[in-house]
Amino acid sequence: MPLRVVVAGATGVVGRTLLPLLRERGHHVTALVRHAGRLDGTAPVDDVAVADLLDPAGLSRELRRAAPDVVIDQTSGFGKADQDEGLRRTAQLRERGAKHLVDAAVEVGARRIIGQSMTAAYRPHGHDVLDEESPLWTDAPGCWGSAVRALAAMEEALLTCPDIEGVALRYGALYGPNTHYAPGGAIHERVCGSELPLVYDGVGLTSFTHVDDAAGAVLEMLTNGEPGTYNVVDNEPAESTEWLPAYARMAGGPAPVSLTLDQAKAQLDWLTVHQLTEQRGATNFRLRETMGWRPTWPSWREGFANLFGLWAG
Ligand SMILES: NC(=O)c1ccc[n+]([C@@H]2O[C@H](COP(=O)([O-])OP(=O)(O)OC[C@H]3O[C@@H](n4cnc5c(N)ncnc54)[C@H](OP(=O)(O)O)[C@@H]3O)[C@@H](O)[C@H]2O)c1
């Protein structure tokens, strides 16, 4: 059945991917943007609503006009900002913006709200990949702790409101066109500039999510499935000692240098060391079993190759 859908973050990497998919399925799509000029004039939408998630009055006005059945939040503050600034802006959005969006969605009688969370927020423990029951690392050090607490607050706003079905999709490291992993993106620059090393005495795991799969999971959950949290990741959590050299090779960059843990701590920021040495991956078992979802890109190996034009399909 065609639905009225509002997409917040319609100019972002996942939002842009999602718009044509929603339209192809016959839904009425309203792009919610901060600046109308930021939306590509050819973007496949039925309507444009202009509001900032940090402005509850504007948001409420625009949602009343759009009258959505489903509200999708794909906003984040990462964009082109550096790591600390991206975390700070995203935390503000998650803490306040998400709550404003839930309130506005409830006010207009929307049935479901789907938000963007992330698997990197799990507290690392053991050697296994983590599922949705694993705790978020809300007492992590420094600005990562603030970011995870904001994420937890966003999930709580989505999942505990009795008047709307809340779904939090926890993405892995997002890659694909226009992401940090694409040519010119932050990770690409760091790898090609020999700024991301292999760290010998620690093995962090990363679960990856192609933007196509992030958008595909939103479609899957548009009306179906129980409210709750779902990991949206590929099938192959990868150790940094595995994905980093493979990525460097495919990107045409130099082989990563090797550092000891002490050297890495002295030369890199805390979050990068954490990601490379102790972060845990996540399992997509819940989404696979309950929804029959399958990633289009089941392995980052193929996805990275595709990103660099090396995948013959
Ligand atoms: N999503 C994550 O958890 C995450 C984590 C780490 C790294 N990254 C990286 O960050 C890059 C960007 O990916 P992304 O999809 O997360 O972000 P994105 O592509 O920058 O999209 C963010 C969206 O949020 C919107 N937005 C930001 N603040 C807003 C506000 N106050 N009110 C309304 N809309 C607002 C932006 O609109 P404007 O056009 O107005 O700015 C944009 O549409 C990727 O390379 C990804 O790899 C993402």
Side-chain angles (χ1 to χ4, degrees):
M1 195 185 65
L3 300 168
R4 295 181 66 83
V5 181
V6 164
V7 180
T11 55
V13 292
V14 181
R16 263 179 291 171
T17 310
L18 194 52
L19 298 177
L21 302 177
L22 289 166
R23 279 288 295 270
E24 278 164 22
R25 283 156 182 78
H27 301 304
H28 180 282
V29 180
T30 299
L32 184 81
V33 296
R34 283 191 291 185
H35 315 283
R38 291 286 295 273
L39 193 67
D40 177 354
T42 62
V45 297
D46 297 285
D47 201 0
V48 178
V50 181
D52 191 309
L53 255 62
L54 300 177
D55 167 21
L59 203 52
S60 161
R61 181 192 64 234
E62 291 302 309
L63 255 66
R64 275 200 302 274
R65 202 169 62 76
D69 301 300
V70 179
V71 174
I72 299 168
D73 181 6
Q74 295 296 327
T75 59
S76 93
F78 291 107
K80 302 265 179 276
D82 70 28
Q83 185 174 274
D84 286 359
E85 182 58 14
L87 285 174
R88 197 192 60 73
R89 283 195 214 162
T90 304
Q92 191 183 43
L93 260 180
R94 306 276 194 250
E95 237 157 30
R96 293 168 43 207
K99 176 80 173 69
H100 297 157
L101 196 57
V102 170
D103 289 347
V106 167
E107 187 190 333
V108 300
R111 212 182 305 157
R112 178 166 281 209
I113 182 163
I114 301 174
Q116 180 192 131
S117 185
M118 58 183 173
T119 61
Y122 287 127
R123 176 197 301 278
H125 64 89
H127 294 287
D128 294 333
V129 294
L130 303 176
D131 65 16
E132 290 83 351
E133 303 309 317
S134 303
L136 300 183
W137 199 12
T138 48
D139 54 354
C143 63
W144 186 239
S146 312
V148 175
R149 285 189 290 280
L151 200 75
M154 180 206 73
E155 288 196 353
E156 192 180 337
L158 284 177
L159 302 174
T160 60
C161 178
D163 302 317
I164 195 163
E165 295 176 355
V167 174
L169 297 180
R170 293 175 174 166
Y171 300 154
L174 269 179
Y175 75 98
N178 300 310
T179 65
H180 289 181
Y181 289 80
I187 296 287
H188 184 262
E189 303 274 284
R190 289 179 83 183
V191 171
C192 291
S194 291
E195 289 169 20
L196 269 188
L198 298 177
V199 183
Y200 260 128
D201 20 12
V203 180
L205 278 175
T206 298
S207 279
F208 288 95
T209 306
H210 192 287
V211 287
D212 289 350
D213 286 321
V218 174
L219 284 185
E220 196 76 43
M221 298 303 299
L222 210 54
T223 51
N224 302 322
E226 291 296 315
T229 53
Y230 295 84
N231 292 339
V232 181
V233 291
D234 76 7
N235 298 342
E236 203 185 343
E239 295 183 354
S240 53
T241 48
E242 198 178 2
W243 72 261
L244 196 44
Y247 177 91
R249 213 167 33 247
M250 290 190 243
V257 297
S258 296
L259 299 181
T260 64
L261 187 55
D262 285 344
Q263 287 170 328
K265 283 180 177 169
Q267 293 179 28
L268 300 168
D269 62 279
W270 178 88
L271 185 54
T272 300
V273 176
H274 159 68
Q275 288 165 342
L276 293 173
T277 62
E278 62 172 356
Q279 177 176 267
R280 295 289 89 203
T283 171
N284 60 23
F285 185 78
R286 177 178 287 176
L287 199 54
R288 291 169 68 86
E289 287 302 298
T290 59
M291 303 299 298
W293 178 82
R294 299 286 183 273
T296 316
W297 296 99
S299 162
W300 53 271
R301 295 173 197 278
E302 297 164 1
F304 286 175
N306 181 59
L307 193 55
F308 295 110
L310 303 170
W311 178 245

